[in-house]
Amino acid sequence: PIYPNQQLLQHLGTLAVMLPVVFDLRSKVLSRSAILGITVFAFIHVIGARYIYSYVPYNEWSIYLTGLDIQDFFQFDRNHYDRFIHFSFGLLILPYTRDLVKRYFGITKTVAVLVIAWLFIQTFSMFYELFEWSLTVFMTENMAENYNGQQGDIWDAHKDMALAMLGSTISLFLFGFRQKTINE
C-alpha cells in the first residue's frame, strides 16, 4: 500500500459493508441481489482502500487490457475511482436497503419500500461525507486529503453525494421496472 498507516481506517469500511452478509448467513433475510450488490461493492472498495482511492491505477489497467486511455478519452484531470465508488454505493447497496426496509419496517408496498431504501442511500451518503469532513479536524491536512480523495476539488462532497444519488436512482428504476414486469 502507498499509505500503510491508513490501511486500518480504509478497510474499516470494508468490514462494515461485509458484516450484513456475515450476519445473514443464519437468518437468510437478504435476497441474492442484495448479497451480490454488497459483495461487488466490497470488492471494489477493497481495491480503492488498497491504493487509497486517489491512486487506483485504473487508467493504467485500461491501457494495458484494452489500449484505451480513459483519462485522455474523457479528458479527466484527476483520478475518478472515488467517484466510481460513490456511484457504485448508490447502485449496488439499494437492494440491501430494500431488503432491510421490508424486513424491519414491515412495509409491503413496493413503491414505498423502494423510495425509503432510496432515501436511506441519500442519508447515509450525507452522513459519510460529514464523517469525512470530521476527519479533517483530527488528521493532518495531508492525511485528510489522501483519505478523503478530494484531489483539490472543493465540491468533492457534493459530487460524491450526487453520484450516490444517481446510482441509487438508476437502481430504483431497475428494481421498479423488474417488479412491474414480474407483477404483470
Side-chain angles (χ1 to χ4, degrees), residues 64-129:
Y64 178 76
L65 294 172
T66 67
L68 175 65
D69 186 331
I70 295 172
Q71 295 292 114
D72 186 51
F73 183 79
F74 290 106
Q75 298 179 359
F76 289 158
D77 58 349
R78 61 167 281 167
N79 184 306
H80 282 281
Y81 196 83
D82 176 57
R83 303 257 199 262
F84 171 67
I85 288 291
H86 287 278
F87 172 78
S88 297
F89 174 76
L91 186 72
L92 298 170
I93 301 299
L94 189 106
Y96 167 66
T97 58
R98 179 204 60 199
D99 290 355
L100 291 184
V101 167
K102 284 166 75 174
R103 165 78 180 208
Y104 296 109
F105 295 108
I107 299 170
T108 57
K109 295 279 187 192
T110 301
V111 172
V113 169
L114 287 172
V115 168
I116 291 171
W118 183 84
L119 291 170
F120 174 83
I121 297 290
Q122 307 334 305
T123 303
F124 188 85
S125 181
M126 180 205 57
F127 280 128
Y128 183 77
E129 292 302 325

Side-chain angles (χ1 to χ4, degrees), residues 14-99:
T14 308
L15 280 175
V17 166
M18 288 308 293
L19 279 177
V21 174
V22 172
F23 288 129
D24 191 63
L25 292 174
R26 285 195 191 144
S27 61
K28 300 201 185 325
V29 171
L30 299 177
S31 63
R32 282 182 284 169
S33 58
I35 291 173
L36 178 64
I38 288 173
T39 304
V40 170
F41 183 76
F43 177 73
I44 61 177
H45 186 276
V46 165
I47 292 170
R50 172 9 186 128
Y51 288 97
I52 309 298
Y53 297 89
S54 302
Y55 303 105
V56 173
Y58 67 86
N59 194 51
E60 289 80 0
W61 296 338
S62 176
I63 293 169
Y64 178 76
L65 294 172
T66 67
L68 175 65
D69 186 331
I70 295 172
Q71 295 292 114
D72 186 51
F73 183 79
F74 290 106
Q75 298 179 359
F76 289 158
D77 58 349
R78 61 167 281 167
N79 184 306
H80 282 281
Y81 196 83
D82 176 57
R83 303 257 199 262
F84 171 67
I85 288 291
H86 287 278
F87 172 78
S88 297
F89 174 76
L91 186 72
L92 298 170
I93 301 299
L94 189 106
Y96 167 66
T97 58
R98 179 204 60 199
D99 290 355

